[in-house]
Amino acid sequence: KEVIKREIKMRKLDSTKVRPLKSEQLLRIEDHDFALRPGFGGSPIPVGIDVQVESIDSISEVDMDFTMTLYLRHYWKDERLSFRSTKNKSMTFDGRLIKKIWVPDVFFVHSKRSFIHDTTVENVMLRVYPDGNVLFSLRITVSAMCFMDFSRFPLDTQNCSLELESYAYNEDDLMLYWKHGNQSLSTDEHISLSQFFIEEFSASSGLAFYSSTGWYNRLFINFALRRHIFFFVLQSYFPAMLMVMLSWVSFWIDRRAVPARVSLGITTVLTMSTIITGVSASMPQVSYIKAVDVYLWISFLFVFLSVIEYAAVNYLTTIEERKQLKKRGKASGMYSIDAVQAMAFDGCYHDPDVDMDLTSFSDRCEENATRARATSVSNVGPARIKRKRSLKGNVGRIILQNNHVIDTYSRIIFPSVYIVFNFFYWGLYI
């Protein structure tokens, strides 16, 4: 008896021998080699796929990828897993049995990252029916590449696809297909994205060829994304329009007000540069022109041309004044300072006729310099009255002369051309 007790105790302590679970005994897992696919050596095994998209988590234009969470379900038949059941009920298992049987080796083509959710336990389910039919379901988040075309950005529509394929088994060993045809792909009703409107989801299939291993069945989850433009109108288009219109204000400013017109032009140019830089920072460095680039750079050109326009006006104004001074033959002296130099001193417009009146008045004052100071002081009052009368009578002429012909045409040409450009731009891209 003591010998028998020792043998029983030794058997209990022997941890190298693990008794199979009841489920494994029922499925006779140890009786088969599950390293081989079902029906090895015969026709390819059909594996049906069913996908339910839970959410599209993000779309990245910079990385050209998208992140999607989905339920991936596989359907196939493995007679090695058939079992007897009086009530014809299926058996459901968790992920622990997956490693002991054969499952399809489906992977995501062009995927960057993917993982199976494991909160609170690994989100894997295996259901086996008495006749050997198997349902294998798992919840996955995958990030995959999306080859985007930004030539119409941000007025674009992007077509992305998630591709599924067997890694090891070509079409001679495994036939991958959509389980319920076009109805195999379903989506959550509440799927939404901040920058995109999801236009459609569709399922398709095809073949992929590899020179070393042959042809493989490939399934496609296709979806079209149309971008919401309102965000970009507020952030890019509308500020660019305002800067262009603000640059037109300089056409109504006095052509001799150099600080005002130059500072306005430089401010609008720098603001447009900031807008362009901000849009480029959030986009991939593509080698072609985008729709937003066309609009922003043409708007920048309008702002830049308004600065060039004033440079031309200022240059031509200087030439005209020099010609007028030569014709008038002004005498040299402190009152012979030309209008441009006077502008540099006091920032005010100097009319040549008024200056001539003041010069003659100064000459008369010099001739009467020997008179009493009281008399000379009494003459100051009439001189000021004369200057005010001269300015009042010549205000209209000063304004007309100060309005250069280039400014006059620019007030009409710049807005007209920009409006025509907007009609063509929005008509082409929308």
Side-chain angles (χ1 to χ4, degrees):
K1 291 181 179 179
E2 293 180 359
V3 175
I4 295 174
K5 289 181 180 180
R6 288 179 181 177
E7 291 179 356
I8 294 173
K9 189 175 181 180
M10 292 295 293
R11 290 176 183 176
K12 290 181 179 180
L13 295 174
D14 189 3
S15 61
T16 59
K17 296 182 179 179
V18 180
R19 296 181 62 186
L21 301 175
K22 291 183 179 181
S23 59
E24 297 180 8
Q25 290 178 343
L26 183 61
L27 296 176
R28 305 188 308 276
I29 290 178
E30 293 186 348
D31 297 340
H32 304 282
D33 183 9
F34 284 96
L36 301 176
R37 68 171 180 86
F40 177 76
S43 58
I45 175 175
V47 177
I49 297 294
D50 184 0
V51 172
Q52 180 179 349
V53 179
E54 181 181 358
S55 64
I56 298 178
D57 303 320
S58 63
I59 305 291
S60 176
E61 290 88 355
V62 177
D63 299 326
M64 285 194 180
D65 62 13
F66 64 91
T67 302
M68 177 186 293
T69 300
L70 52 89
Y71 297 92
L72 178 61
R73 305 184 183 97
H74 310 70
Y75 302 86
W76 75 94
K77 186 174 184 180
D78 191 346
E79 295 181 354
R80 296 172 296 184
L81 298 176
S82 59
F83 61 92
R84 295 180 181 180
S85 176
T86 56
K87 297 182 180 181
N88 197 27
K89 289 186 177 181
S90 60
M91 292 191 299
T92 302
F93 306 94
D94 56 16
R96 289 174 290 182
L97 189 64
I98 302 299
K99 299 178 181 179
K100 299 180 179 181
I101 66 172
W102 181 91
V103 293
D105 58 343
V106 175
F107 78 104
F108 297 100
V109 185
H110 305 308
S111 66
K112 296 181 177 180
R113 299 169 300 275
S114 62
F115 63 91
I116 300 174
H117 290 259
D118 55 2
T119 305
T120 57
V121 295
E122 194 175 26
N123 298 170
V124 175
M125 185 268 289
L126 181 71
R127 182 171 295 171
V128 182
Y129 294 88
D131 58 354
N133 283 308
V134 182
L135 166 60
F136 174 41
S137 176
L138 61 162
R139 182 168 174 253
I140 301 177
T141 293
V142 57
S143 297
M145 294 180 60
C146 179
F147 301 99
M148 301 181 183
D149 181 15
F150 296 107
S151 59
R152 299 178 65 88
F153 175 88
L155 308 169
D156 57 336
T157 299
Q158 301 296 339
N159 296 303
C160 301
S161 63
L162 184 63
E163 305 173 10
L164 296 85
E165 183 182 309
S166 173
Y167 188 83
Y169 300 100
N170 58 23
E171 64 174 353
D172 296 329
D173 290 319
L174 189 146
M175 183 180 67
L176 206 62
Y177 69 99
W178 290 110
K179 177 67 174 178
H180 307 292
N182 294 330
Q183 304 299 323
S184 301
L185 180 61
S186 59
T187 60
D188 196 319
E189 296 179 356
H190 303 289
I191 293 180
S192 62
L193 294 169
S194 59
Q195 291 191 22
F196 293 92
F197 173 76
I198 304 175
E199 289 189 334
E200 62 175 349
F201 268 98
S202 62
S204 60
S205 59
L207 292 173
F209 177 75
Y210 299 91
S211 59
S212 57
T213 54
W215 293 91
Y216 291 78
N217 294 112
R218 181 176 293 184
L219 304 182
F220 301 88
I221 302 173
N222 307 306
F223 56 97
L225 303 171
R226 180 167 54 84
R227 196 182 306 273
H228 295 302
I229 191 177
F230 186 71
F231 171 80
F232 297 94
V233 169
L234 292 180
Q235 296 295 322
S236 301
Y237 287 96
F238 189 65
M241 290 180 185
L242 289 181
M243 288 302 104
V244 173
M245 290 187 288
L246 183 61
S247 67
W248 300 339
V249 176
S250 65
F251 303 150
W252 276 265
I253 299 178
D254 192 328
R255 59 176 171 171
R256 291 181 179 83
V258 179
R261 294 189 67 164
V262 170
S263 60
L264 179 61
I266 296 300
T267 300
T268 53
V269 168
L270 293 178
T271 305
M272 283 300 304
S273 300
T274 303
I275 295 174
I276 294 173
T277 303
V279 173
S280 301
S282 61
M283 293 297 299
Q285 305 301 317
V286 295
S287 59
Y288 50 84
I289 299 176
K290 303 181 288 293
V292 67
D293 293 335
V294 174
Y295 194 91
L296 293 182
W297 280 104
I298 291 183
S299 298
F300 182 84
L301 180 63
F302 273 89
V303 173
F304 180 76
L305 289 178
S306 67
V307 178
I308 300 300
E309 184 268 351
Y310 177 63
V313 169
N314 185 268
Y315 176 74
L316 295 177
T317 300
T318 304
I319 294 177
E320 290 177 2
E321 289 179 346
R322 288 177 179 175
K323 290 180 179 179
Q324 290 177 2
L325 291 177
K326 289 181 180 179
K327 290 180 180 180
R328 292 178 181 273
K330 278 193 170 184
S332 60
M334 64 175 297
Y335 293 103
S336 65
I337 301 175
D338 60 18
V340 179
Q341 293 174 333
M343 177 65 198
F345 281 113
D346 57 12
C348 299
Y349 172 70
H350 291 261
D351 184 62
D353 294 336
V354 177
D355 290 339
M356 288 296 293
D357 293 337
L358 292 177
T359 303
S360 61
F361 172 72
S362 175
D363 293 338
R364 289 195 300 271
C365 290
E366 289 179 357
E367 292 175 357
N368 300 325
T370 57
R371 295 182 180 180
R373 291 183 179 180
T375 306
S376 62
V377 171
S378 63
N379 289 335
V380 175
R384 289 179 178 176
I385 296 173
K386 183 178 180 181
R387 179 180 176 85
K388 290 180 180 179
R389 290 177 179 176
S390 177
L391 289 175
K392 289 180 180 179
N394 296 327
V395 168
R397 181 176 58 81
I398 293 172
I399 294 175
L400 293 176
Q401 289 181 352
N402 197 35
N403 181 22
H404 199 278
V405 64
I406 297 180
D407 281 339
T408 304
Y409 284 111
S410 296
R411 296 171 187 176
I412 301 173
I413 294 176
F414 272 73
S416 300
V417 175
Y418 193 69
I419 291 172
V420 172
F421 160 70
N422 275 272
F423 273 113
F424 274 102
Y425 179 86
W426 296 107
L428 177 64
Y429 286 104
I430 294 183

